Amino acid sequence: MDPEMDSALLQTHVFSYAELEEATNKFDASDKLGDGGFCTVYKGKLQDGRTVAVKRLYENNYRRVEQFMNEIQILSRLRHQRLVILYGCTSHQSRELLLVYEFVSNGTLAHHLHGSRESQCILTWPMRLRIAIETADALAYLHAVNPPVIHRDVKTNNILLDSNFHVKVADFGLSRLIPKDVTHISTAPQGTPGYLDPEYHQCFQLTDKSDVYSFGVVLFELITSKPAVDMTRNRSEINLANMAITRIQRGELEQLVDAALGYQSDEVTRKMITMVAEVAFRCLQSDGDMRPPIKEVLEVLQAIESDGNRPEKKEHGVAESRDDAELLKNTEPFSPDSVMNRWTSRSTTPQASE
């Protein structure tokens, strides 16, 4: 075993298998929180009274051990209010590989947008924008730490919501640390269909812009309430990213937006959604170099939220919003590699086109 991984394990509380079996009532099906591609997650209660989520990895083989240790290695060195807390794990030599996290009570963002909780609580536009900002904040932290971390599986199923609908980004099994002064890692593509960066898929080069692409898909899920992949949609629209790019190029943003968000009835909301759609469009550029860094995305989203909350904007929203609301509609069809004309870059190198 890698000495650095052993060190990470030493920094993490190690639970016995029996302790976690008891906490989950012998992994009772009634305590199941969800299934993933490589695991099942159960709700449990530790002897000290803490309610936890216990991830049970399928198959104790080399690849699962690698993912298990990878998650421990990364989460043991990170501390951020928007990242899920890892409480501990079993030994990698245990009969089963188990990871223990804080319990995040409101489930996944995917469940609220287009899953089992969709009808329980409608996420309003202000709530969705705040979720986008908090997710971008978590990713900006990951990309800024030393060494930087690429999550590599950003999706609405990995964005958890607490009792107040604040974000906790989860699942670091596929994440990678980027060595200092290295721009990318050459590795076989891994991730989730619908969210996977096409440049990474084609060139086998993983960069921080791969997370930006995936986040762009999440933004369009927040705007549309549609899943990233839906086999029941028309063939050309099975992939939400392709659907969004095509509709925006045709000036059909209105047809994308979830009707429950007030896009047609409230001019301030209309302007904010239009601007977030532009951010998402930039994130989905097929050329990674054309995508903004996540820090810039975060700053723009924060500015959109702040601008939309100003009292004078709410009073004069109709008059002030029309130009921006028409921005995408008036744009001639263009290549996905192009840049939205009114994007104001907040990077150190001025790139504004106006």
Side-chain angles (χ1 to χ4, degrees):
M1 185 62 63
D2 187 326
E4 188 173 0
M5 289 186 174
D6 275 340
S7 174
L9 192 57
L10 288 171
Q11 295 172 31
T12 306
H13 181 78
V14 177
F15 293 93
S16 69
Y17 177 82
E19 190 177 357
L20 298 181
E21 186 179 42
E22 179 184 345
T24 57
N25 206 11
K26 295 187 176 179
F27 302 100
D28 193 298
S30 65
D31 290 325
K32 186 186 292 187
L33 295 173
D35 287 300
F38 310 113
C39 66
T40 301
V41 181
Y42 296 86
K43 184 177 180 180
K45 192 162 188 176
L46 299 178
Q47 292 176 347
D48 62 11
R50 284 182 293 174
T51 301
V52 295
V54 179
K55 181 190 286 188
R56 188 185 199 185
L57 298 183
Y58 303 145
E59 305 171 4
N60 194 342
N61 57 29
Y62 175 78
R63 188 166 186 178
R64 291 297 167 267
V65 172
E66 189 177 45
Q67 289 180 331
F68 173 81
M69 293 305 303
N70 191 61
E71 184 133 6
I72 295 166
Q73 179 188 15
I74 288 175
L75 280 179
S76 66
R77 67 174 70 199
L78 301 177
R79 294 289 182 274
H80 190 275
Q81 63 179 339
R82 300 299 164 221
L83 300 182
V84 69
I85 298 171
L86 176 69
Y87 287 150
C89 59
T90 53
S91 164
H92 64 270
Q93 298 174 329
S94 171
R95 60 181 285 189
E96 287 196 45
L97 301 176
L98 305 172
L99 293 159
V100 184
Y101 306 89
E102 65 175 314
F103 174 68
V104 186
S105 60
N106 257 322
T108 71
L109 177 57
H111 285 153
H112 287 277
L113 291 177
H114 38 68
S116 60
R117 301 191 185 209
E118 181 182 1
S119 60
Q120 293 179 15
C121 175
I122 299 299
L123 294 176
T124 64
W125 174 248
M127 292 170 72
R128 295 182 191 214
L129 181 54
R130 176 70 353 216
I131 287 167
I133 289 169
E134 291 181 359
T135 304
D137 187 30
L139 295 176
Y141 167 76
L142 294 176
H143 293 182
V145 294
N146 186 22
V149 174
I150 299 176
H151 187 282
R152 202 159 54 149
D153 202 17
V154 176
K155 58 182 178 180
T156 51
N157 269 314
N158 287 338
I159 298 171
L160 306 180
L161 302 174
D162 70 12
S163 58
N164 294 313
F165 291 91
H166 289 300
V167 163
K168 294 281 187 175
V169 174
D171 203 340
F172 290 78
L174 298 181
S175 301
R176 292 295 298 269
L177 299 169
I178 303 295
K180 187 177 180 181
D181 300 326
V182 170
T183 59
H184 69 269
I185 291 178
S186 296
T187 178
Q190 292 190 62
T192 302
Y195 298 91
L196 191 61
D197 171 11
E199 189 172 60
Y200 171 38
H201 185 259
Q202 293 164 11
C203 304
F204 285 42
Q205 292 188 347
L206 176 68
T207 75
D208 55 358
K209 297 296 184 70
S210 299
D211 280 351
V212 172
Y213 181 91
S214 303
F215 182 68
V217 179
V218 170
L219 287 179
F220 274 121
E221 283 186 80
L222 288 165
I223 289 169
T224 66
S225 299
K226 300 180 186 297
V229 173
D230 186 348
M231 300 302 292
T232 67
R233 296 196 289 250
N234 292 334
R235 184 173 180 179
S236 62
E237 297 188 337
I238 288 173
N239 185 297
L240 179 60
N242 291 342
M243 178 202 290
I245 288 170
T246 301
R247 294 287 181 91
I248 286 175
Q249 288 176 336
R250 293 176 181 169
E252 298 173 352
L253 174 61
E254 186 172 332
Q255 295 180 25
L256 277 175
V257 180
D258 183 342
L261 297 182
Y263 182 82
Q264 293 182 311
S265 60
D266 183 82
E267 288 293 343
V268 173
T269 298
R270 182 184 181 94
K271 178 177 180 181
M272 294 170 77
I273 291 175
T274 300
M275 295 174 74
V276 172
E278 293 183 19
V279 175
F281 186 93
R282 277 291 306 276
C283 292
L284 293 184
Q285 299 300 295
S286 58
D287 181 349
D289 289 338
M290 298 293 285
R291 299 173 205 150
I294 195 65
K295 183 176 184 294
E296 183 175 324
V297 171
L298 172 61
E299 291 170 354
V300 172
L301 292 175
Q302 289 171 327
I304 292 170
E305 181 184 54
S306 177
D307 198 46
N309 288 334
R310 280 163 47 194
E312 64 269 26
K313 285 287 182 182
K314 294 184 178 180
E315 291 172 11
H316 307 294
V318 175
E320 294 189 3
S321 297
R322 286 205 175 111
D323 286 344
D324 285 313
E326 296 294 314
L327 178 57
L328 298 181
K329 185 184 292 186
N330 292 335
T331 305
E332 294 296 320
F334 39 63
S335 159
D337 290 328
S338 65
V339 180
M340 299 306 293
N341 287 336
R342 294 197 184 186
W343 178 278
T344 302
S345 174
R346 284 168 168 76
S347 61
T348 54
T349 304
Q351 296 175 342
S353 57
E354 292 190 353

